[in-house]
Amino acid sequence: MHRATIVVASNSIVLTPPTEQLKLVMDQHRTIIEPFKIKSVEPLTIMSRAERAPLLHKAGYNLFALSAEHVTFDFLTDSGTTAMSANQWAAMMVADESYAGSRSFAKFERVVRALTGHQFVIPTHQGRAAERLLCEALVKPGMKVPSNNHFDTTRANIEFAGGEAVDLVIAEGRDPTSQHPFKGNIDLAGLDAFLAANREVVPFGMMTLTNNTGGGQPASLENIRAVAALYKKHRVAFIIDACRFAENAYFIKLREDSQRDRSVREIAQEVFSLADGCYMSAKKDALVNIGGFIALHNKEWIESLRALLILTEGFPTYGGLAARDLEAMAVGLEEVLDEQYLSYRLAVSRYMAEGCNRIGIPTVQPAGGHAVYIDAKRFLPHIPPHEFPGQSLVCELYLAEGIRSCEIGSAMFGKFAAGSFVPAQMELVRLAFPRRVYTQSHFDYILEGLAELVARKGSLRGMRLTYDPPLLRHFTATFEPL
Ligand code: F0G
């Protein structure tokens, strides 16, 4: 296949001059290298556009319906797609698979307690299982749950319980062009006013770290402290959605002057200590393929949560997982705090965002932690929101490059109200990067292909919904090109 020649900074991940001081893996070099060696590999499928076109048509132009074997670069999600380390695999082999009281649970519990400071640890099979337990136990019809931005499964679980998920991210967090270093912050005045008016119907308040829906943007320690103080003032329990806590903590270290000399572990520990509890999809920053947990500081809710857990997930010492999954999480929660790993991790998304910007693809600024979010509204101004510009780009990225990405815009969040379509606030396309899976040459190859796409973007057309499911539309909806 012919590829346009573009200038990519070099054959390695290079940092532009420090708007933030990324700590370098090798002190004298500007290059951040993958801080691992590869011990086990799997083949990559490479197909032509002509081969991909009928597959996309058959999938109803929804990439969730594609077979993964037909995808070259799977950037659908960073969730559960991590390459585990030799130490994680080794730990899995020594797991104790006892139904009750397993040694592996004790190890997992020790690690979670040491990290979060919370005593009561409930394993769950993934993040949304934790969300469902919390919502089923605590959210009643008419209640409201504030956060910076709720992730879609969080919102769906709150709504399924009859509640309302309220987003209170700062104004900069809704502006894809703003360079604010902590666009995942909560609007403090807005939260104070919201709690003053609603505290009787707030079962708990939240904060998502990093703020996935808003672009993988971090919240500052200063803001998290202030949010915690407001929840305390209004006597509302504070629960952190901690999926990407380590990436958030590393952003704090890089961007918050007063935190530069602390370790990521210390920062993360303080963040957890500010809340009454947390839940986590371990499929992100615990570096595993499946798993999750809830950790709480006091036992008030534990009985009802454990009762629901036993009913639908499993006994409290395995919670829907195999003990080997608990072992892998225990090791992953330690590994993820390695600052060489985190500096490489954030360099990947930064490199891809800067590469996109250089060839004329606008992305949410600044680069988030786990993903690049292309601003499809600005990139494809000729496609109006009700024709799903993000979904159109997602389909083209697949046809042209074999990339599987995810629309986070009107296909995901647009609503039909009183016969008309209310679009989402932003039309984003997320390229989420699996942890420790793809290498530098993959990313350079993709940037070459994207440069070709830029040249013919005017030929892209909008999409029409052909099936609209009642919940979580993006997973099962189908489309057709206009
Ligand atoms: N909260 C956040 C912030 C998430 O990003 C996710 C999952 C969840 C909760 C739910 O966790 O998948 O383990 O049930 N996000 C994935 C993503 C799916 O692609 O961003 P889960």
Side-chain angles (χ1 to χ4, degrees), residues 375-439:
D375 186 345
K377 203 188 270 184
R378 278 173 63 215
F379 185 55
L380 303 173
H382 61 290
I383 303 178
H386 68 274
E387 291 179 7
F388 308 111
Q391 192 62 22
S392 168
L393 182 58
V394 159
C395 290
E396 180 60 22
L397 288 171
Y398 175 68
L399 289 172
E401 291 291 296
I403 292 173
R404 178 152 66 171
S405 57
C406 183
E407 195 263 14
I408 304 186
S410 290
M412 190 181 267
F413 293 123
K415 286 202 160 75
F416 290 95
S420 66
F421 187 73
V422 185
Q425 281 173 355
M426 297 195 257
E427 303 293 341
L428 303 178
V429 168
R430 185 183 77 167
L431 310 183
F433 304 120
R435 293 167 178 79
R436 310 190 286 208
V437 171
Y438 296 102
T439 64

Side-chain angles (χ1 to χ4, degrees), residues 107-174:
K107 176 174 166 189
F108 169 70
E109 188 183 48
R110 259 197 318 277
V111 170
V112 174
R113 282 177 172 168
L115 174 65
T116 65
H118 303 319
Q119 285 309 294
F120 300 95
V121 180
I122 296 180
T124 61
H125 79 269
Q126 62 183 89
R128 72 198 69 181
E131 289 168 351
R132 191 191 60 79
L133 294 176
L134 285 166
C135 290
E136 195 170 333
L138 302 167
V139 178
K140 306 290 171 237
M143 286 185 162
K144 300 177 187 211
V145 181
S147 188
N148 37 4
N149 285 113
H150 292 272
F151 183 65
D152 57 344
T153 59
T154 324
R155 176 178 305 279
N157 271 294
I158 291 168
E159 289 175 358
F160 192 69
E164 186 188 339
V166 180
D167 290 340
L168 293 172
V169 73
I170 56 170
E172 292 89 338
R174 291 189 298 269

